Amino acid sequence: PQHECGNRKSCPRDHFAFRLISGAANVVGPSICFNDQILMSNVRNNIGRGLNIALVNGTTGQLLRTGAFDMYSG
């Protein structure tokens, strides 16, 4: 069976599925999947160098905001 965000197991009822994939230097960018929707990725063109964050409403699962903090340049 196929599970949300490509996980190995399904989540219990009333829980959200998520998957975080770290990037590899500047070759492969990070990816954030939440509740079977890609929130951040190279394809969506909304990732940056450093720490990538997606703010999600914990009750509804709605994406509120995305952002990247460049930890290299300060």
Side-chain angles (χ1 to χ4, degrees), residues 1 6 17-18 24 26 31 36 50 53 56-58 61 66-67 73:
F18 70 94
N26 61 354
S31 174
D36 223 19
I53 295 177
V56 177
N57 182 310
T66 61
S73 68

Side-chain angles (χ1 to χ4, degrees), residues 62-74:
Q62 177 186 13
L63 176 65
L64 301 175
R65 189 172 179 189
T66 61
F69 298 95
D70 188 345
M71 305 297 284
Y72 181 74
S73 68

Side-chain angles (χ1 to χ4, degrees), residues 17-73:
F18 70 94
R19 187 172 186 185
L20 306 173
I21 299 173
S22 178
N26 61 354
V27 179
V28 178
S31 174
I32 299 175
C33 177
F34 182 82
N35 219 27
D36 223 19
Q37 293 184 327
I38 301 296
L39 302 182
M40 298 182 80
S41 71
N42 279 336
V43 174
R44 292 185 58 107
N45 198 28
N46 63 348
I47 58 172
R49 180 172 73 175
L51 184 62
N52 290 273
I53 295 177
L55 178 62
V56 177
N57 182 310
T59 303
T60 65
Q62 177 186 13
L63 176 65
L64 301 175
R65 189 172 179 189
T66 61
F69 298 95
D70 188 345
M71 305 297 284
Y72 181 74
S73 68

Side-chain angles (χ1 to χ4, degrees), residues 1-16:
Q2 187 171 351
H3 305 289
E4 290 181 330
C5 290
N7 291 327
R8 294 182 182 176
K9 295 181 181 179
S10 292
C11 289
R13 186 172 232 174
D14 298 329
H15 287 72
F16 293 114

